[in-house]
Amino acid sequence: MQTHAKVVIIGGGVVGCSILFHLAKHGWKDVVLLERSELASGSSWHAAGQIHTISSDPNISRLQGYTINLYKELEELSGQSVGHHPTGGFYLASSPERLDYLKQERSKARYMGLDQEFISLQEVAEMHPLIDPSKYLGALWDPIDGYIDPSSVTHAYAKSARQYGAQYHRNTPVIETNPRADGSWDVVTPNGTINAEMIVNAAGLWAREVGHLAGIDLPVQPMEHHYLITETIPEIEAHGKELPCGIDYESNLYFRQEQQGLLLGTYEPSATPWKVEGTPLDFGHELLPPDLDRIADRLKLASERIPALGRAGIKNVVNGPFTFGPDGNPMIGPVPGMKNYWAAVGVMAGFCQAGGVGLCLAEWMIEGEPSIDVWAMDIARFGEFATHEYGTIKSAENYTRRFILTYPNEELPAGRRQKTTALYDRLVARGAVMGTGFGLEHVLWFADKPENAHETPTFRRSNAFEYVADEVRAVRTGVGAVEIANFANHEFKGPGAGAFLDRMLAGRLPKVGRLNLTPMLTPKGKLYGDLTVARLDEDTFYVFGSGAAQEMHRRWFDMHMPDNGVSYRNRSDELHGIAISGPRSRELLSRITRDDVSAQGLRFRDIRRTAVGGVPVILARISFSGELGFEIYCAPQYQVKLCEQIEDAGRDLELKLYGARTLLSLRLEKGWGVWTLDFRPDFTAVESGLDAFVAFDKEADFIGKQAVLTQRDKGPEKKLVTMVMGTDDIDVTHDEAIFHNGECVGYVTSGGFAHHVQKSVALGYVATALAKDGEAFEIELLGEMKPAKIVAEPLYDSTGERMRS
Ligand SMILES: Cc1cc2nc3c(=O)[nH]c(=O)nc-3n(C[C@H](O)[C@H](O)[C@H](O)COP(=O)(O)OP(=O)(O)OC[C@H]3O[C@@H](n4cnc5c(N)ncnc54)[C@H](O)[C@@H]3O)c2cc1C
């Protein structure tokens, strides 16, 4: 065995083998995979092998399409059959809500390059005569769905990787991973030690144990899962053609043909986490004892929908474990806080996803960034809050909801109150409906009283609509207050802080006591942050950004941090606060501070340390509401006092507390995008319009400078636009297809109802040639085409006068 490698991958399941293949294919030959036993000795050997494209995230769906289309190439390269049966597959809905969901999925497919279409129930019955079509309302068809042989796929990846020059060693368990001072890793096995520039934890069922070797706790959890295979079914024999695969959402079932019988798997309503305390090192080639009682009600439902099942004998029952992450999506990428340690864990649908995971990881390692936004799979979407207990609770929730519909306005119940602010009880007592982001509870909206503080999950406008309208009215005409604990605060100090941030941020650094908006770019000029940078004194800066992205940004800052001259801390949990906004917000503020907060005393974009409500704060004159407004940050122990003072002082001004939904509505009428939706690494600064904040002429060679200059000179192919839509009881959320003269020309990134201007608004990217004021489009919303028109100017206060007043 060699003693040095550029990359060592730990784990020879389908995920590790795909990473090996993609690294080698993309040019890195000095890569080696270590497998403790035979290849596919974890979940991979006992998978059902069904493959499909639909996922909760469009980019993951796109990558699932990529994975499936890779199987032909793998067979050719490796000379090994992967048992690919591209039977096509349908997604069956038996409730109107599920049918709506499928319509939404089809809309996404239109721009993801997938070929999904609705087929009639008659066609379902013709293709799959065992199904009782009367149980369903609709079926979406995807021609590339089907099934493969899991073990053969894993071997085909490994053999293909070898064709490209990579190596793998079986029967080579990794027993230690020791970091060296130069950032490399010594990977210790009984057969020798390899020093690796980078390592990848792709240990599937043992991801936790391999993580522990490097001192990492990964919040993944194996879950027990059943599928069964029937004896020969005469109707299948008689049909003569192979049956398509299927997913029946309401009964939580997936099924496909297996020889002359059926294979049927199900996600039961009560999950069984497996080996919470850790996966035994000697587990591998055995299955778990089946427990058919656990899935009996699912089997009953199945035989109502596929009656031949009820008559068929069961030939084989498989109960095997596989690993889930807290939101059901893979967790990949460089592990924050670690050097040269990569993860590819929690991949729960490896035969649909491993190709995409391998591709993205290889691009990320070799080129420094993946070619598409992988936020939905990025391990940095979880932080310290995601303990292994949290991982178990959320993974179990996710397992039971595998095929259950989650509405765009729905907040899932498990693992709640993991992180709360000092104001939590107070806000709940005021009628707050809470959501959660990066583990932290935050207010979505306020009901008139706590008894009404719940929201009906729906694709359409919910019972929150009128409450949010009231909150918007208060901010636009009087004064409102919103807790601002769910933003990230990054603190940089030291003589090198200015120079460091000048390189990290594409915008201009502010003078002392001022703040600026700035994008942060990748070397390829993609957006990596939409940030506000504030300078408290010559060598102290705060960077405010998306709370969800705080760990991703911490990783980015750490990665580029010089050895000395800058000290950096993520202070998001230490600086909470309250923002007040609206035409009467200055009046309110002046009552609780001795500072001069007049238009001259505290100018738009000023920031300072002072006292408000008698507590020490950082006070900034800025607001995401598009109104006159102030953000007041304080340490959590002062938040209750600050809130009391604001509420007391605001009583006769009819101060109204508001939540995130209102903020999101207010920003729509200003045409402002938000991070993770409109602004993310799928887009460049020039495409998004954030180039307005790029200091093209600044001296510092900021990351992405060359790329953004080229993009500016060349002009973007697509642009972010704001559209007003013709709808009545429904608004876009994100990912709806945008049509122009019948052709799909882009997609929606965010939207909703702008209550003050009384318009339904969509933000989305369309071809630059079409990004003109007044240009008309159609947006596909739950299967219906709705008219939409570009508005070039903000719908509210287009000159920004109110904000600057
Ligand atoms: C019953 C069942 C049905 C399923 N059906 C489907 C399906 O239809 N479609 C689908 O897409 N997915 C399905 N899956 C899920 C799929 O099996 C997994 O997503 C996939 O196998 C995960 O692959 P992996 O490489 O991440 O992990 P694993 O397959 O667990 O591989 C991890 C590998 O790492 C090795 N390893 C661990 N520790 C070490 C160490 N210290 N040193 C060296 N090597 C180590 C192990 O030996 C193992 O080979 C199913 C799973 C189950 C259980």
Side-chain angles (χ1 to χ4, degrees):
M1 202 167 72
Q2 65 267 58
T3 54
H4 180 272
K6 189 156 189 72
V7 184
V8 167
I9 299 158
I10 305 169
V14 66
V15 172
C17 291
S18 169
I19 297 167
L20 187 76
F21 164 72
H22 282 92
L23 282 171
K25 181 179 174 186
H26 287 239
W28 279 9
K29 309 296 176 196
D30 184 16
V31 291
V32 56
L33 181 147
L34 303 180
E35 163 56 46
R36 80 191 163 112
S37 175
E38 295 298 329
L39 295 179
S41 285
S43 306
S44 296
W45 74 270
H46 54 241
Q50 196 155 328
I51 48 177
H52 59 88
T53 50
I54 283 190
S55 150
S56 57
D57 176 79
N59 274 0
I60 297 183
S61 295
R62 204 191 297 259
L63 290 168
Q64 292 191 185
Y66 164 80
T67 302
I68 294 172
N69 287 322
L70 195 63
Y71 286 129
K72 195 162 175 281
E73 179 183 331
L74 284 180
E75 284 191 333
E76 283 167 6
L77 259 172
S78 64
Q80 145 115 47
S81 162
V82 300
H84 189 194
H85 292 243
T87 59
F90 31 65
Y91 305 85
L92 296 160
S94 50
S95 71
E97 295 76 20
R98 184 53 80 169
L99 195 55
D100 277 349
Y101 163 82
L102 290 180
K103 289 175 187 164
Q104 202 192 27
E105 287 305 307
R106 192 221 0 211
S107 184
K108 290 182 200 171
R110 296 197 195 273
Y111 63 80
M112 284 187 300
L114 298 175
D115 191 19
Q116 294 163 357
E117 255 321 326
F118 279 98
I119 55 172
S120 69
L121 294 173
Q122 173 70 26
E123 286 169 286
V124 171
E126 280 163 17
M127 284 195 256
H128 202 306
L130 277 70
I131 289 180
D132 177 355
S134 70
K135 301 284 187 230
Y136 298 103
L137 295 178
L140 186 64
W141 171 254
D142 192 325
I144 69 170
D145 287 8
Y147 67 97
I148 45 72
D149 174 56
S151 191
S152 305
V153 163
T154 310
H155 282 86
Y157 272 121
K159 284 187 188 166
S160 303
R162 246 188 199 162
Q163 296 289 342
Y164 281 117
Q167 295 187 49
Y168 58 90
H169 301 288
R170 293 168 299 136
N171 301 311
T172 309
V174 172
I175 49 177
E176 285 178 37
T177 52
N178 301 321
R180 281 197 194 175
D182 64 0
S184 68
W185 289 85
D186 284 336
V187 183
V188 182
T189 79
N191 306 339
T193 296
I194 305 183
N195 177 250
E197 290 170 34
M198 304 176 193
I199 58 174
V200 184
N201 177 348
L205 280 180
W206 295 266
R208 294 172 298 176
E209 286 66 33
V210 168
H212 291 157
L213 299 179
I216 306 170
D217 272 332
L218 292 165
V220 291
Q221 174 63 54
M223 312 293 296
E224 291 192 23
H225 178 65
H226 283 87
Y227 65 82
L228 52 86
I229 297 168
T230 70
E231 303 279 7
T232 294
I233 296 179
E235 289 91 330
I236 296 182
E237 268 187 320
H239 185 54
K241 271 194 287 184
E242 188 161 34
L243 300 172
C245 297
I247 293 178
D248 173 334
Y249 288 103
E250 271 76 18
S251 27
N252 247 345
L253 290 176
Y254 62 89
F255 51 89
R256 66 170 177 83
Q257 184 170 334
E258 173 70 23
Q259 295 180 355
Q260 295 303 311
L262 275 185
L263 180 153
L264 181 102
T266 182
Y267 291 84
E268 61 274 25
S270 168
T272 310
W274 180 72
K275 299 291 178 196
V276 170
E277 68 287 357
T279 305
L281 293 180
D282 58 355
F283 182 81
H285 295 279
E286 55 275 51
L287 288 168
L288 309 175
D291 180 359
L292 284 182
D293 284 350
R294 226 189 271 157
I295 58 169
D297 63 335
R298 301 288 118 182
L299 296 182
K300 187 165 168 288
L301 265 175
S303 53
E304 283 165 15
R305 288 160 185 238
I306 309 175
L309 266 177
R311 301 186 290 273
I314 297 177
K315 188 162 80 179
N316 194 8
V317 180
V318 171
N319 180 16
F322 65 135
T323 314
F324 272 69
D327 61 4
N329 285 338
M331 294 167 64
I332 72 167
V335 176
M338 305 290 289
K339 262 200 179 144
N340 300 320
Y341 192 102
W342 296 70
V345 302
V347 185
M348 60 73 54
F351 297 91
C352 309
Q353 296 177 334
V357 164
L359 174 71
C360 292
L361 218 63
E363 290 173 341
W364 206 339
M365 295 174 94
I366 296 172
E367 295 166 37
E369 54 189 283
S371 55
I372 61 170
D373 177 23
V374 294
W375 172 246
M377 299 199 289
D378 190 338
I379 189 163
R381 68 193 188 282
F382 302 104
E384 172 201 69
F385 71 91
T387 58
H388 35 83
E389 287 86 352
Y390 179 87
T392 302
I393 291 167
K394 290 299 282 181
S395 300
E397 175 183 61
N398 231 285
Y399 178 92
T400 59
R401 296 186 62 90
R402 173 83 177 107
F403 294 137
I404 291 189
L405 184 53
T406 301
Y407 291 90
N409 68 334
E410 191 169 1
E411 295 282 332
L412 300 184
R416 296 303 296 272
R417 292 191 296 284
Q418 178 75 353
K419 278 173 79 176
T420 53
T421 69
L423 295 185
Y424 179 81
D425 290 339
R426 187 181 182 94
L427 299 176
V428 167
R430 302 267 189 289
V433 174
M434 290 286 181
T436 181
F438 205 69
L440 182 71
E441 298 289 322
H442 64 268
V443 181
L444 297 175
W445 54 277
F446 285 90
D448 51 349
K449 45 187 178 230
E451 303 87 276
N452 294 337
H454 53 82
E455 185 168 359
T456 319
T458 174
F459 284 114
R460 296 183 162 71
R461 290 176 190 160
S462 77
N463 57 316
F465 190 79
E466 290 305 331
Y467 290 107
V468 174
D470 282 349
E471 292 176 13
V472 166
R473 200 170 303 122
V475 177
R476 287 277 182 253
T477 61
V479 54
V482 60
E483 187 183 40
I484 48 172
N486 58 336
F487 297 140
N489 307 301
H490 304 272
E491 182 193 75
F492 300 86
K493 282 183 163 187
F500 172 69
L501 286 175
D502 220 14
R503 172 158 166 64
M504 298 305 295
L505 307 175
R508 203 172 301 286
L509 291 190
K511 296 198 169 78
V512 172
R514 300 283 292 161
L515 51 82
N516 281 345
L517 304 182
T518 169
M520 184 159 70
L521 306 178
T522 69
K524 291 185 178 168
K526 305 254 186 91
L527 291 175
Y528 210 65
D530 156 36
L531 306 167
T532 302
V533 54
R535 189 173 213 156
L536 271 288
D537 55 47
E538 194 53 33
D539 292 335
T540 305
F541 295 83
Y542 281 96
V543 172
F544 302 100
S546 153
Q550 60 186 268
E551 199 66 354
M552 164 182 141
H553 286 149
R554 173 172 82 105
R555 181 179 64 196
W556 190 249
F557 294 137
D558 279 347
M559 209 180 281
H560 296 93
M561 194 62 69
D563 288 338
N564 43 46
V566 191
S567 76
Y568 161 65
R569 274 168 68 204
N570 174 3
R571 294 200 58 200
S572 310
D573 287 338
E574 298 163 34
L575 267 186
H576 289 169
I578 296 175
I580 53 174
S581 21
R584 304 192 77 180
S585 55
R586 179 178 284 126
E587 193 180 346
L588 194 163
L589 182 62
S590 65
R591 294 177 180 183
I592 51 172
T593 182
R594 294 183 189 179
D595 266 34
D596 174 5
V597 291
S598 67
Q600 297 72 39
L602 187 66
R603 295 164 304 161
F604 181 59
R605 294 196 290 107
D606 273 355
I607 184 163
R608 68 173 66 135
R609 289 195 178 88
T610 182
V612 172
V615 303
V617 302
I618 293 173
L619 173 64
R621 205 192 130 188
I622 188 134
S623 172
F624 195 53
S625 64
E627 287 296 334
L628 170 68
F630 306 87
E631 290 182 354
I632 312 164
Y633 290 94
C634 64
Q637 64 268 29
Y638 294 119
Q639 225 193 341
V640 169
K641 172 79 176 219
L642 178 65
C643 188
E644 278 170 7
Q645 294 281 309
I646 289 173
E647 286 193 286
D648 289 349
R651 200 150 289 126
D652 65 316
L653 299 175
E654 291 177 21
L655 168 78
K656 196 159 180 61
L657 297 178
Y658 68 95
R661 292 278 174 74
T662 288
L663 216 46
L664 288 174
S665 170
L666 291 166
R667 61 93 200 186
L668 283 177
E669 34 205 37
K670 298 293 292 178
W672 291 339
V674 288
W675 189 255
T676 71
L677 293 171
D678 316 289
F679 303 145
R680 53 191 156 107
D682 274 336
F683 311 116
T684 67
V686 181
E687 289 165 348
S688 66
L690 287 179
D691 55 336
F693 301 101
V694 172
F696 287 100
D697 59 346
K698 81 173 180 181
E699 224 174 272
D701 184 21
F702 62 86
I703 296 174
K705 188 172 192 175
Q706 262 323 309
V708 70
L709 280 166
T710 310
Q711 287 155 3
R712 183 192 62 177
D713 294 344
K714 205 168 142 227
E717 281 175 15
K718 55 180 181 287
K719 277 205 81 77
L720 179 64
V721 295
T722 302
M723 290 164 280
V724 167
M725 294 186 57
T727 66
D728 36 34
D729 74 329
I730 182 167
D731 305 296
V732 295
T733 49
H734 47 80
D735 302 321
E736 296 84 357
I738 304 173
F739 288 81
H740 188 263
N741 294 334
E743 195 192 330
C744 178
V745 292
Y747 63 100
V748 170
T749 45
S750 77
F753 193 73
H755 285 272
H756 181 73
V757 297
Q758 289 286 299
K759 290 192 185 339
S760 184
V761 175
L763 268 62
Y765 284 81
V766 298
T768 306
L770 299 173
K772 296 185 298 240
D773 193 19
E775 192 71 38
F777 298 88
E778 285 185 311
I779 295 179
E780 187 180 17
L781 204 41
L782 300 191
E784 281 180 36
M785 293 295 179
K786 305 279 185 186
K789 202 174 255 190
I790 293 184
V791 282
E793 291 288 313
L795 293 162
Y796 177 74
D797 188 27
S798 62
T799 58
E801 218 173 287
R802 294 177 71 98
M803 209 165 55
R804 293 187 173 80
S805 61

